[in-house]
């Protein structure tokens, strides 16, 4: 499970990732000059690995550098069982329950960090609620996220040494939040299929899926049906600035209005002699505004164009892609106006022999 990873300064993905099987000397050749960080870790590099030891070293051209890692002992893997019951209000009309248990932290010894939980219906001891008993055996001791898919809900559970079988989770009757989305400048309703939400995630949980709000044409509102909780709302659009916010449904709030502000944006396309060119793979430049400090806030992709939603109006600079067979273009200066989309074409000329 232990890995030796080498990273460049201020770059998180490792440029080298080797299995670390024993103490001793490891020689690495043909490395680029510069400052690098060497670390011994457990777990995948992109999921907050457990660091056993790390050190930085500066590599200079033509010289050999050395670094010593003193490793802390790896934690001991402990396994335990956990079980409990989920009470679901009858208003949800659930005849079955899908749930999962996911470790928060680094999995040790090849343990599967996420497990499906088999919940079976049982006799309920709580009036007005259906009961679903569940059990998960041989899980890693520590903190886990217990997640129910319908209704959407999650909670953090501690699995202690020796395990536990006393978990009780109560999902109360559904409530509805009606959301109106309007243009902030005109007050007119905005139609969108990009209004997403999720219950606020417990502390320590950093990922998870999103639910999409349903539009009710009769009520002319977007409808979110959930347990009484705090919900997080998110909306992305090329025409408007991204929106995010929270609504606390535990306080009786049942209506909410989102006021969207028109986005200032740049849409870039490529042409040569009237023929449209596809954007090359690997072009990751973003526009910036050196005077005001304006920057890219949101980028949307497709093979033939790229749209950049920017933070402020102004004159932005953007480095065009280099396309084989065509003359290289200079840095482009693009004027962006408040609340409007600027369409900009990179015009290419073929290289002459």
């Amino acid at each position: 499970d232990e890995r030796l990873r080498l990273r460049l300064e201020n770059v998180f993905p490792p440029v080298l990732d080797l299995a670390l099987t024993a103490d001793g000397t490891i020689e690495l050749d043909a490395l680029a000059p510069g400052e690098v960080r060497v670390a011994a870790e457990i777990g995948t590099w992109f999921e907050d690995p457990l660091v056993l030891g790390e050190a930085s070293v500066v590599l200079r051209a033509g010289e050999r550098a050395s670094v010593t890692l003193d490793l802390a002992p790896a934690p001991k893997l402990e396994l335990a069982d956990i079980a409990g019951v989920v009470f679901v209000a009858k208003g949800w009309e659930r005849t079955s329950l899908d749930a999962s248990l996911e470790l928060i932290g680094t999995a040790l010894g090849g343990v599967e960090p996420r497990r499906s939980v088999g919940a079976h219906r049982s006799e309920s001891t709580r009036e007005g609620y259906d009961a679903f008993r569940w059990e998960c055996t041989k899980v890693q001791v520590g903190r886990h996220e217990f997640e129910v898919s319908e209704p959407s809900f999650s909670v953090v559970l501690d699995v202690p040494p020796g395990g536990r079988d006393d978990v009780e989770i109560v999902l109360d009757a559904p409530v509805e939040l009606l959301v109106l989305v309007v243009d902030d400048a005109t007050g007119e309703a905005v139609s969108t299929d990009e209004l997403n939400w999720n219950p606020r995630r417990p502390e320590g949980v950093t990922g998870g899926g999103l639910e999409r709000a349903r539009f009710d044409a009769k009520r002319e509102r977007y409808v979110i049906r959930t347990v009484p909780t705090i919900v997080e709302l998110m909306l992305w659009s090329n025409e408007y600035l991204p929106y995010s916010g929270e609504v606390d449904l535990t306080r009786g709030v049942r209506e909410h209005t989102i006021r969207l502000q028109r986005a200032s944006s740049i849409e870039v396309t490529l042409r040569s002699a009237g023929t449209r060119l596809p954007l090359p793979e690997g072009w990751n430049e973003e526009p910036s505004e050196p005077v005001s400090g304006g920057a890219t806030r949101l980028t949307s992709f497709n093979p033939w164009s790229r749209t950049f939603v920017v933070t402020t109006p102004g004159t932005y600079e953007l480095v065009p892609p280099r396309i084989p067979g065509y003359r290289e273009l200079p840095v482009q200066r693009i004027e962006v106006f408040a609340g409007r989309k600027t369409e900009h074409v990179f015009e290419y000329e073929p290289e002459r022999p």
Side-chain angles (χ1 to χ4, degrees), residues 85-88 134 146 148 153 155 157 167-171:
V85 60
V86 182
F87 293 102
V88 183
W134 60 274
F146 182 88
V148 177
F153 178 83
V155 65
L157 302 177
V167 177
E168 277 197 7
I169 297 170
V170 179
L171 303 183

Side-chain angles (χ1 to χ4, degrees), residues 5-9 15-16 26-38 55-68:
R5 293 178 175 131
L6 185 142
R7 294 179 174 86
L8 301 179
E9 184 181 13
V15 295
L16 192 67
I26 300 175
E27 295 188 1
L28 305 173
D29 295 321
L31 300 175
E35 184 172 349
V36 298
R37 184 166 63 90
V38 184
S56 296
V57 62
V58 176
L59 305 179
R60 295 181 173 85
E63 298 182 7
R64 178 175 292 275
S66 64
V67 64
T68 300

